[in-house]
Amino acid sequence: MRADEVLKAGTTPLTAPPYTRIRRRFTDREYFTVVYRTDPDALRHAVPEPLQVRDDLVRFEVMHMGDVLGFGPYTECGQALPVVFDGEHGEYLHAMYLNSFAGTAAGREGSAYPKGLGEPALRVEGGALIGTLDIGSLRTAVATMAYKYEPLDLEEAKAQITLPTFMVKIVAGYGKRPQVCDLVRTRITDITVHEAWSGPARLQLFEHVMAPLADLPVRAVVAASHVRTDLTLEPVHPVHDYLEEIS
């Protein structure tokens, strides 16, 4: 195999890379989001400098991807935390769990998404939209919302989804010091909101050492939404170099 072919593969195994480096278009992406108040001290502990905590809210979300270029359908869930960076309001992606290895690997290696494997699910049952997360055989999250209870303004739904997002990108080095340790920024673009709903909701988080969602405990549910969209993820770009800060 020639050197240029090694570079073209982008990741290993070289003869069967699990993902390709393309701009991801998501068709029929379904969001179920529950916004809740949490412990302010726990939130400050979870958010890395130089991001600043904006308030005591957490956005728990379950997303079903109807179709994704290069991956096909899969489901993921996680937590996003409201932050401010250089005067810009956005969200810090704290943790994400997927039932797609290719989506997990591409999100972590090719970008900076804090993804791990899990079994999230989204379904409608008994008049309720239900989102769950299982880690192995243990249930770690259950969210419910009255199904299509009240229409949500499409522009408001779009604004919720298109906030800039921040993540930490770490590439391990050959010793203890990483090769890359950056704070990065990205944003959703080219979005079409097909429908949006709000309604009463509940959320339970359960203790699990490999998925510590409950470290940001639910104090009170503030809002919930159910949105169906098509959208594109922009590539990430660095906004802060931790290695430069500590060198």
Side-chain angles (χ1 to χ4, degrees):
M1 183 178 289
R2 301 189 309 271
D4 64 306
E5 293 176 314
V6 173
L7 291 174
K8 185 178 180 181
T11 187
T12 58
L14 295 177
T15 56
Y19 62 87
T20 181
R21 294 180 180 273
I22 58 174
R23 193 179 184 200
R24 303 290 173 191
R25 179 67 179 171
F26 293 75
T27 303
D28 195 22
R29 178 165 171 160
E30 190 176 5
Y31 285 86
F32 173 26
T33 300
V34 178
V35 178
Y36 69 92
R37 295 198 181 280
T38 192
D39 178 80
D41 291 334
L43 197 59
R44 283 189 289 269
H45 178 73
V47 173
E49 297 178 334
L51 298 173
Q52 296 178 317
V53 174
R54 183 151 49 97
D55 49 40
D56 62 351
L57 298 178
V58 176
R59 187 160 65 92
F60 173 84
E61 58 188 11
V62 181
M63 295 168 286
H64 178 69
M65 320 301 177
D67 186 56
V68 186
L69 287 179
F71 299 147
Y74 64 90
T75 307
E76 70 178 61
C77 79
Q79 290 167 315
L81 316 181
V83 295
V84 177
F85 178 75
D86 279 353
E88 180 181 49
H89 287 221
E91 292 184 320
Y92 168 65
L93 297 188
H94 178 52
M96 308 172 80
Y97 303 92
L98 288 72
N99 58 6
S100 164
F101 173 74
T104 301
R108 288 174 62 94
E109 296 177 12
S111 191
Y113 293 91
K115 297 187 175 187
L117 290 173
E119 285 296 334
L122 187 62
R123 69 184 189 277
V124 178
E125 182 180 300
L129 182 66
I130 300 173
T132 60
L133 172 65
D134 293 345
I135 301 296
S137 62
L138 297 179
R139 181 135 299 175
T140 56
V142 177
T144 57
M145 171 183 153
Y147 184 64
K148 295 191 176 182
Y149 187 82
E150 185 175 3
L152 177 65
D153 181 76
L154 299 186
E155 288 302 314
E156 181 180 345
K158 182 177 179 181
Q160 291 177 9
I161 293 170
T162 55
L163 280 172
T165 54
F166 299 91
M167 301 167 282
V168 173
K169 170 74 171 182
I170 299 176
V171 178
Y174 294 104
K176 293 183 179 180
R177 186 180 175 89
Q179 295 183 60
V180 175
C181 191
D182 291 337
L183 180 71
V184 302
R185 179 190 183 277
T186 186
R187 194 165 192 165
I188 286 170
T189 61
D190 192 19
I191 182 171
T192 300
V193 177
H194 297 291
E195 59 178 326
W197 304 87
S198 63
R202 301 290 186 271
L203 174 63
Q204 294 174 285
L205 302 177
F206 305 96
E207 302 283 352
H208 195 299
V209 68
M210 300 307 295
L213 301 174
D215 286 2
L216 297 173
V218 180
R219 297 289 186 244
V221 171
V222 174
S225 61
H226 178 207
V227 181
R228 190 168 59 83
T229 71
D230 301 332
L231 56 85
T232 300
L233 291 181
E234 285 294 296
V236 301
H237 67 270
V239 294
H240 179 78
D241 186 344
Y242 290 100
L243 295 177
E244 185 177 272
E245 179 180 298
I246 64 175
S247 60

